[in-house]
């Protein structure tokens, strides 16, 4: 790209340039992601098996490994226009601060009240639930972005929304909870005494601060035992990656418009919703042999499913009521250390991304949280956006890559996903500002305990 | 405007369409705003009188009632590009919800980490301080947006930043404080024991939760007694309205592009920074007789400077160390009831706006806070943005006007200023969600106490 002078600080697509279809990367995968299995029989779950848990239309999306494009319904396109397109930002100020010859771009998904990309899938899932004539949906939330996004989507469509929020987040983030209440959602700290599985977990682990896996179990139980409710999930699932492809599609359209091609694409990865969405059209080109990209997943050193997990069938939840999924996992009983701030704390990883990683189509790195917050603070001061701790994992590696370019003189083009803002994570920033934040890397023994809980397969 | 189909949900100007100059509405005013007076001699303050307090370049802007346009320096234009242009949003979803024939637009200034329009003037004031070779700046903050904005601007330019934060906000908003710390600012609850004026106020009013007027006195004292520091202010001053004209200029360029002309322009008003900026180019046309607009200032019923104040010379601060300004005021000793949430709690009002209001060129309305939060909640649910309590004053009146159109069938075009987001105001939303929020309207006796403190003029 020669005439970089022409590239503005922020590229906003026109409404008419916005994607009208989601892209399903599974259609281009030679090795398809492994199917969900019934936890009792270990048989693949079909449409009918999943109907008690998920909406019909979403099951179709979940199971479809062949259709490359799905039309985005008009109503969802309308909602997208309320907060999209999101800007693709050229990080001129960060480049200058680093003194790097690298060209850094980030796709910023935080300019909506949920504070993250989660709204892209929340509105889709709520829409299909509404279309099916349901009363409401249940879900879990960890850091709170997903719960907030779902509350917003449900308020817009007039659906009831029950959120089970991991207890430590519920306590650390009373204001995040209050946003969900403002959007009319009910928010319950998990594990709770409201469900059978919650009572069981509390009996076995009194005083637990909860985990995503545990909150999922509760939300699924409530969905399957209440007439007119279904369960929805903000990450991990194939359908979520499908909806989130809008991030990558918009990024690619914007870059193509200016003749820019990324060399390296970086995203944080917890369950994989952002990374999967950001990379999808680029990965599609790579799978079809049309282009090559270096793709890097970044995860916390305290919850290292890609870099230290096993690629195996595992329970998606702690209560073991959900289907089994084949994924890079730390075991459904793994809970990150209490000093871990922010999200990215799920024990497993999207089966799509797990397969792509296992096939050598992408890399993974783990980073420690004090290094992550150092990057977050630098970014906030020069780019003017206070990033979410999750997003800051990607910032960390983008900065590291840009500094490598400074050494080598390479003029790489780096694209990373800035998933959201950190306004509800100030307790974590306070720990960093006070110098009381610490790092935690699980020992091999810690990980062995998690792996011991993996289901025995035939 | 016939072909409304063509108007997108959000209008973003291209970078090359962004204003390159600020507009000074004073140049077109027949009755110029009254000059600042020395509080001792009651003589107009000139350039030299103001030098101990303000930066040189800013004093020139403050005193210039004749130059209609000021070039925006390149460095500030660069910073503006980091977070501007801000979107002009067509509120299709709100219109639909209200069932109104009115066409509603809002200029959304909240998509930056300071969460408001305050950054527009913060970067300008910090830039001129830096250019003058100063070490740092001092200021006060109430709701916290201004302090955050100034912290961001100072971090960017490498200036020291000392913020005096009204004590009740300091306590209610620990996370807001933490954002400022992340940007490297020092934040002190006001009144403090660090200053002479703070100690005096604390001795006279032990246990006071502070006020803007009091925090201003402290910040001015620190600026004038420390080598290399100056004081900066986020509202009220002429220079602030000049910088904030970028809001109105962008709005007007965007509307002109689509051939849209507002009938009614609505903005919340505390000290007047947002309202003054939003209306400036429209008011300019009105003053020059080129067009007519209905312009409405909205203020809290609990702090009603326009609707129940006096147009008189008053102290700008509680400690009476600042110049006197002629403005609509409740008296510098007036402190809104503790149950008042959010900002817009300054006792006075911009001299420019005060003069325009006195000349009958704009209207004013006061609204009660439970009605404001009702509007905020409705807006959040249909437009997807959780508004700041301050901004929600404008939303309230915009909705009221749109509902009037529903009755009359009038297809008015309404433009309002959505100054910011409410992410750090969730304690107030919690009170509203819990049903514990109350209203407060000062009695005539309450107001008389404030008026009794007005300075005796010759």
């Amino acid at each position: 790209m020669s005439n970089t002078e022409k590239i503005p600080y922020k590229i906003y697509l026109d409404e008419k340039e916005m994607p009208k279809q989601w892209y399903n990367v599974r259609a281009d995968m030679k090795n398809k992601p492994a199917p969900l299995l019934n936890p009792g029989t270990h048989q693949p779950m079909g449409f009918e098996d999943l109907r008690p848990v998920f909406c019909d239309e979403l099951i179709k999306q979940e199971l479809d490994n062949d259709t490359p494009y799905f039309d985005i319904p008009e109503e969802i396109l309308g909602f997208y226009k309320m907060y999209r397109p999101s800007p693709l930002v050229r990080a001129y100020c960060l480049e200058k601060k680093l003194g790097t010859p690298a060209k850094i771009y980030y796709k910023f998904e935080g300019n909506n009240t949920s504070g993250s990309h989660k709204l892209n899938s929340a509105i889709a899932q709520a829409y299909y639930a509404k279309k099916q004539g349901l009363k409401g949906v249940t879900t879990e939330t960890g850091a709170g972005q997903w719960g907030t996004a779902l509350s917003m989507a449900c308020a817009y469509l007039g659906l009831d929304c029950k959120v089970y929020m991991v207890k430590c987040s519920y306590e650390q983030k009373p204001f995040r909870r209050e946003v969900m209440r403002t959007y009319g959602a009910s928010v319950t700290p998990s594990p709770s005494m409201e469900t059978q599985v919650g009572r069981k977990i509390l009996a076995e682990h009194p005083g637990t601060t909860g985990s995503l896996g545990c909150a999922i179990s509760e939300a699924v139980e409530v969905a399957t035992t209440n007439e007119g409710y279904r369960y929805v999930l903000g990450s991990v699932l194939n359908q979520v990656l499908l909806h989130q492809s809008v991030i990558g599609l918009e990024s690619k359209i914007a870059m193509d418009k200016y003749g820019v091609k990324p060399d390296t694409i970086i995203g944080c990865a917890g369950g994989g919703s952002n990374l999967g969405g950001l990379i999808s059209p680029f990965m599609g080109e790579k799978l079809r042999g049309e282009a090559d990209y270096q793709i890097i997943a970044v995860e916390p050193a305290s919850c290292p499913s890609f870099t230290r997990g096993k690629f195996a069938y595992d329970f998606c939840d702690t209560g073991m009521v959900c289907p089994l999924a084949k994924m890079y996992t730390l075991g459904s009983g793994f809970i990150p250390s209490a000093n871990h701030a922010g999200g990215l704390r799920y024990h497993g990883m999207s089966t799509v991304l797990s397969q792509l990683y296992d096939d050598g189509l992408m890399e993974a790195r783990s980073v420690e949280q004090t290094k992550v917050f150092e990057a977050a603070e630098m970014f906030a001061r020069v780019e003017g956006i206070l990033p979410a701790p999750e997003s800051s994992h990607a910032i960390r590696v983008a900065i590291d890559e840009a500094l490598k370019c400074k050494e080598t003189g390479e003029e790489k083009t780096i694209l990373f996903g800035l998933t959201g803002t950190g306004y509800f994570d100030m307790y974590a920033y306070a720990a960093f500002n006070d110098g009381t934040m610490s790092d935690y890397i699980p020992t091999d023994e810690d990980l062995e305990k998690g792996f011991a809980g993996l289901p025995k397969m035939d």
Side-chain angles (χ1 to χ4, degrees), chain A:
Chain A
M1 182 65 197
S2 54
N3 54 349
T4 46
E5 275 63 47
K6 283 186 186 166
I7 294 177
Y9 280 62
K10 289 186 254 84
I11 306 174
Y12 285 103
L13 300 180
D14 286 342
E15 275 179 17
K16 55 182 184 300
E17 296 171 311
M18 287 170 69
K20 305 276 184 301
Q21 297 182 306
W22 292 305
Y23 167 63
N24 179 12
V25 74
R26 286 167 282 159
D28 284 308
M29 288 169 72
K30 259 181 232 163
N31 298 324
K32 303 291 180 190
L36 296 172
L37 299 186
N38 181 303
T41 65
H42 292 191
Q43 291 302 304
M45 305 277 283
F47 183 77
E48 286 302 327
D49 304 310
L50 292 167
R51 290 192 79 188
V53 183
F54 298 125
C55 305
D56 294 355
E57 205 61 40
L58 292 167
I59 300 172
K60 287 183 202 160
Q61 296 179 355
E62 189 66 27
L63 298 177
D64 191 332
N65 287 341
D66 303 307
T67 307
Y69 289 97
F70 285 79
D71 287 341
I72 306 175
E74 274 305 319
E75 294 86 340
I76 298 177
L77 284 174
F79 188 88
Y80 277 176
K81 285 179 191 163
M82 220 169 69
Y83 72 101
R84 305 198 68 82
S86 71
L88 179 73
V89 185
R90 173 73 186 268
Y92 285 117
C93 303
L94 180 62
E95 291 169 19
K96 193 175 156 200
K97 172 81 179 174
L98 297 173
T100 177
K103 291 165 184 64
I104 309 175
Y105 292 82
Y106 55 91
K107 180 70 169 168
F108 179 41
E109 292 286 320
N111 268 353
N112 71 75
T113 289
S114 80
S116 84
H117 66 295
K118 296 285 185 182
L119 202 50
N120 302 331
S121 184
I123 185 62
Q125 296 191 49
Y127 167 78
Y128 291 116
K130 179 80 180 176
K131 207 180 151 200
Q132 197 174 317
L134 298 173
K135 273 189 238 166
V137 289
T138 71
T139 200
E140 80 298 325
T141 198
Q145 287 101 328
W146 168 246
T148 310
L150 190 67
S151 307
M152 290 176 68
C154 287
Y156 188 81
L157 296 168
L159 269 182
D160 187 38
C161 180
K162 296 183 194 297
V163 180
Y164 289 82
M165 187 170 185
V166 177
K167 193 181 272 175
C168 64
S169 287
Y170 184 91
E171 286 163 2
Q172 274 175 338
K173 302 188 175 186
F175 292 159
R176 175 66 87 175
R177 187 174 79 208
E178 216 53 61
V179 178
M180 292 185 252
R181 283 185 69 207
T182 302
Y183 282 95
S186 76
V187 188
T188 308
S190 168
S192 79
M193 294 298 284
E194 283 182 13
T195 64
Q196 217 175 337
V197 65
R199 289 189 291 272
K200 183 162 172 279
I201 290 167
L202 280 171
E204 285 168 12
H205 307 278
T208 175
T209 55
S211 71
L212 267 183
C214 163
I216 293 173
S217 301
E218 292 204 82
V220 170
E221 180 183 320
V222 173
T224 51
T225 54
N226 282 275
E227 183 70 30
Y229 281 80
R230 289 294 185 284
Y231 168 71
V232 296
L233 179 64
S235 192
V236 182
L237 296 174
N238 299 341
Q239 58 187 266
V240 176
L241 267 68
L242 175 70
H243 307 146
Q244 295 294 358
S245 68
V246 70
I247 304 172
L249 292 164
E250 276 188 8
S251 303
K252 191 150 190 321
I253 294 167
M255 294 189 112
D256 284 350
K257 198 169 160 179
Y258 286 90
V260 178
K261 190 179 163 300
D263 298 297
T264 302
I265 305 169
I266 301 166
C268 62
S273 66
N274 159 66
L275 181 71
L278 175 68
I279 67 172
S280 60
F282 301 99
M283 183 59 86
E285 288 189 327
K286 191 166 174 169
L287 288 163
R288 296 189 302 271
E290 297 165 7
D292 196 21
Y293 301 99
Q294 179 189 32
I295 294 173
I296 309 174
V298 190
E299 59 186 15
S302 56
C303 192
S305 18
F306 264 145
T307 50
R308 296 178 68 198
K310 290 196 174 169
F311 189 36
Y313 265 105
D314 192 12
F315 300 101
C316 290
D317 63 328
T318 311
M320 305 178 185
V321 301
C322 290
L324 301 177
K326 191 174 177 196
M327 53 187 180
Y328 276 84
T329 180
L330 300 165
S332 63
F334 181 85
I335 296 180
S337 158
N339 83 343
H340 171 72
L344 310 181
R345 51 171 73 234
Y346 185 62
H347 65 274
M349 184 62 70
S350 143
T351 54
V352 170
L353 294 183
S354 294
Q355 188 62 52
L356 291 167
Y357 179 62
D358 204 58
D359 289 342
L361 290 154
M362 49 187 277
E363 309 165 25
R365 298 205 192 144
S366 75
V367 287
E368 296 181 34
Q369 72 175 352
T370 52
K371 297 285 177 207
V372 165
F373 275 82
E374 278 170 19
E377 187 193 82
M378 181 203 276
F379 183 84
R381 290 185 182 191
V382 298
E383 286 289 322
I385 297 169
L386 189 89
E390 299 81 32
S391 328
S392 306
H393 287 71
I395 298 173
R396 173 74 270 166
V397 171
I399 289 177
D400 291 345
E401 290 297 308
L403 289 176
K404 272 189 216 162
C405 291
K406 190 177 178 179
E407 280 179 29
T408 62
E410 249 189 307
E411 293 189 23
K412 264 194 188 174
T413 296
I414 297 169
L415 166 65
F416 73 90
L418 188 73
T419 56
T421 49
Y423 306 138
F424 293 99
D425 299 285
M426 295 317 297
Y427 67 95
Y429 274 95
F432 178 72
N433 293 338
D434 292 338
T436 59
M437 175 173 279
S438 59
D439 291 315
Y440 167 76
I441 301 178
T443 63
D444 289 342
E445 289 72 40
D446 293 334
L447 295 186
E448 282 307 324
K449 280 182 212 159
F451 296 145
L454 289 174
K456 307 259 175 296
M457 305 302 290
D458 316 318

